[in-house]
Amino acid sequence: MSGAIPGGAAPSDKKPGEYRLPTSAVPKHYDIVVKTDLESSPPSFSGESLTHIDITSDITTLTFNLHPTLSVTHLAISSSDLKTTSSLVLPLTALSVDKDQERGSVDLSSLPGGGLKAGMKGVKLWTRFEAELGGSMVGYYKSEGDLDEATGKKPIYALTQFEPTAARKAFPCWDEPLLKSTFAVSMISREKETVLNNMPEISSKPWKAPSNVSVENVMSEGYELGSLLGASGLTTKTEGKTEGKTEGKTEGKTEGKTEGKTEGKTEGKTEGKTATSSSSESWKITKFETTPLVSTYLVAYACGHFSSLHSEHKSKLSGKTVPLRIFATPDQIKQAQFGLDIKKWALPIYEEVFDIPYALPKLDTLVAHDFDAGAMENWGLITGRTTAYLFDPEKSSLAAKKRVATVQCHELAHMWFGDIVTMKWWDNLWLNEAFATLMGELVIPDRIWPEWKVRAEFLNSHLSAALSLDSQRSSHPIEVDCPDANQINQIFDSISYSKGASVLRMISAVVGEENFLKGVSIYLKKHLYGNAETKDLWDGVSEASGLDVAKIMANWTLKVGFPVITVDEIGDGKIKVTQNRFLSTGDVKPAEDETIWWVPLEVKTIGGGQSKVDHKAVLSERSMTYDVGKADAFKLNAETVGVYRVAYSPERLTKLGQEASSFTVEDRVGLVSDATTLARAGYSKTSGSLNLVKALGSTETEFLPWSQIATALSKLAGAWWEEPEEVRKAIDKLRIKLFRPLVDKLGYEHGPNDAPDVKELRELAVSTAAVAEDPEVLAELKKRFKPFLENNDDSQIPPDLQRSIYVNNARHGGLAEYEKMLKAYNKPPNPSTKVDAMYALCATRQDDLIDRTFKMLDDGSVKDQDMYIFAFGLASNVKTRHRIAEYFKDNFESLQKRFGDSYGISYLIKGAFNSLSSYDDLKKTKAFFEGKDVSKFKLVVSQAYDSIQASADWLSRDKKDVEQWLKENKYL
């Protein structure tokens, strides 16, 4: 985006009062009853809430968060002073709704004294509300299970997703993380439905709405909350609703009438619609224990027909036994055992590391068919999509197993980091997500599955993603200004998660992991059940380590970007190291290059057959000289712990390639990643990085460096995708030359004693050779697919090779292969197979079959949660790369409406545009978004521009250099 502020996330010109709720009223406790009607048409919910509020300054208006799709049908307020208690039913005309700010404001002028006075405690706001159970995967929403062939129907159930700002779609609330309260939730449901909440169930009993209840009674001592949620609970009706306007007085109710859309639940009967429930099944009310202090975005509940598996955790710290359960629809529960086991394995390690017991009396997980993100850390009731929690030991791949493991461990980390201690505001989101990423995807899995080598894998899975996004001009600092709800979704990205985790990994290496985790424990203990900010974490780590961590880390979290360290060899064993900001476009302006980072150089020297690392070498100024002595070899950023790139001379890079076997896997991963990325950005020639790849390829045996090589060559092929065919084929020849020997060595079948990384290397080698169209590899994949195609016999398709076999047979096959993939998509044996089939449906090269895949995007065949997978899949197919971008443009308004409140729109933009690589594409993309309201996803749009620009610049700059290298090495 032209004129983008460096960092992309522009500082807000709004004052806190414009986007934060007034501090004059503070909620302390919520009593909430929610009634879910999954059988009404449309499925809907209704509820009553009683919020206990303290008043800190005189007010004539009470303001809270309320989404315009949640219809408040009745209001009442009760206030007490030292002498009297007064209760007042308010007309709906007293309620106004600000659609943009998603706030409700109640005019209190009709109260005695014209308002509420400072110092009042125990003010109670009662509301009755209702809405449709929508399908947008935010708020309280409906999810649709797989088709039940016995009934011919898809089961429907309801669950919540409130992070970051969707609790207001389910009940009126003070929807900010700092405003922690306690919650007592009750749920009204049909007798045979299972209901879940953050807390354990206290009681469940039959429920029938009392007759002749009036809204005038709601503040009386004997009133039972929820009594007005029946079909005939009121003596009079209110005409109209929505946005605080109604005619007549507010006794009565709108009998489940739901105008507008929301994700939540509704009641048993909807008058005025053809929506009466067909079932005569009786209702029940289930009450749950009161929560500890918790932020609204972590409140959760669900209702439906679920099956469950059970285990338990015996805490050594508290001596208590914590029930562990996992819930899923009955057809999927058998694949949930591994997800349950992880909780049992990981919780004791978390308690040991933090020296704090798990805080709630139980811990559930609910597996959902429709889920916007991957998973959600609701305290005591973790939720997530099927691919995040289901694993079939017979048919699922190692990658699927690792995903379940890391997602579950990530969400468990949040039970401490995020749930019991919560950030004060969304500008410190990284405190939640970076730490859960570090703990859940590195520290804890390394202790449970050391054979997975997750410490090295972290470089590929997180450091690379972090440096990739943060090298764009449109990136943002880890601590990013977050002015309002419209911008919060945008920062759930690789900066908050992966860069944040990488920075924490770096400071952990500097102070030592033991000191780091001790500091984390100190931090958590000081802020239990409260809120915190970055400084509080640094204080804890400083106390444990004796270092001024806040000073060391300031620019890493407060400034955008990261440095490239240029190494100049000046003779006599001395090197000069200089830091400058790195950009993927290679065009850093002086104003963008003012930050000086505290850089742990971690200089590794090798001599006399021994290696040593100088942990004390730090670059905290623009440049300095360092003496490497008479070492045979040296390398900066040992073990690749630092969040930066290193640029060596071409001669040194060649030497490092020749000496690669002397360095660790982490070092080799870093070498390849730095060299290839610097070449793409124009800091060096691509031919130099290709020389390194060629040298490493002759000796490398480990999966992770090979994975970096494959990624680098994939990016080269991706940027060069519109170049002449002979050039593209020459790049493919290079890939085959490197990876085919691995295929020949490793074969296609796993041995009984193969280590996990050997299995991963086998899959990588086969899939890379296949995408480069090695004829023998393609023939083998076709042969293995044939029994499956003809007889449904998949015995020759190893789970780890399944995606490659599916995709390549669809790519090089025709109608029969496509139809087979469609069947696998519609009725998969496990969630990861469904995803593999999605990519296969996107891979076809036949125009009529491509048309069928695009038709699926609009005819209801693709769940909203899976649209982004199709976008990425179609972008990876050169036949459909431009078409998916055009599809997005043609359907922009409907997609914006469909995904505007979720993370989905950001994923779709990345999928549709980030694979484009020409200046013409950049021009057209900018022209399309020009003048459109992109406020909810402007960062992602800017990042798409930067991505296309970087590819186009690389191609323009190094086209001839790459051709020359390919010719010299006889590929062209």
Side-chain angles (χ1 to χ4, degrees), residues 29-33 181-187 195-204 285-294 298-301 320-323 325 358-364 379-381 529:
H29 174 76
Y30 295 79
D31 290 301
I32 301 171
V33 178
S181 303
T182 54
F183 290 79
V185 175
S186 297
M187 297 191 68
V195 287
L196 303 170
N197 175 240
N198 307 80
M199 300 299 288
E201 179 183 311
I202 299 174
S203 65
S204 184
I285 184 167
T286 304
K287 296 188 177 182
F288 298 93
E289 289 182 25
T290 301
T291 68
L293 287 171
V294 64
L298 294 165
V299 173
Y301 40 85
K320 294 177 181 176
T321 297
V322 179
R325 302 181 296 180
Y358 172 71
L360 296 190
K362 60 93 177 173
L363 179 55
D364 293 337
W379 206 2
L381 178 54
Y529 302 102

Side-chain angles (χ1 to χ4, degrees), residues 604-649:
K604 178 177 280 190
T605 52
I606 296 176
Q610 292 187 319
S611 72
K612 62 179 183 179
V613 179
D614 182 355
H615 297 294
K616 295 196 167 138
V618 172
L619 178 62
S620 56
E621 50 198 325
R622 179 66 68 187
S623 63
M624 64 177 270
T625 302
Y626 184 87
D627 191 348
V628 295
K630 296 180 180 179
D632 298 332
F634 73 89
K635 178 191 174 291
L636 272 63
N637 202 9
E639 312 307 317
T640 315
V641 297
V643 184
Y644 56 89
R645 300 282 186 195
V646 184
Y648 301 97
S649 67

Side-chain angles (χ1 to χ4, degrees), residues 114-175:
L116 296 169
K117 302 300 180 187
M120 281 186 166
K121 295 187 181 298
V123 171
K124 296 176 184 176
L125 173 69
W126 174 87
T127 60
R128 185 194 175 281
F129 48 86
E130 60 193 23
E132 181 182 328
L133 278 166
S136 64
M137 301 181 288
V138 287
Y140 187 43
Y141 69 94
K142 69 178 179 185
S143 181
E144 208 173 61
D146 296 327
L147 183 70
D148 184 336
E149 292 187 347
T151 64
K153 294 180 180 178
K154 292 181 177 180
I156 288 176
Y157 53 96
L159 71 154
T160 56
Q161 170 58 38
F162 290 163
E163 189 180 27
T165 56
R168 64 193 67 174
K169 287 187 144 204
F171 57 93
C173 57
W174 279 253
D175 201 9

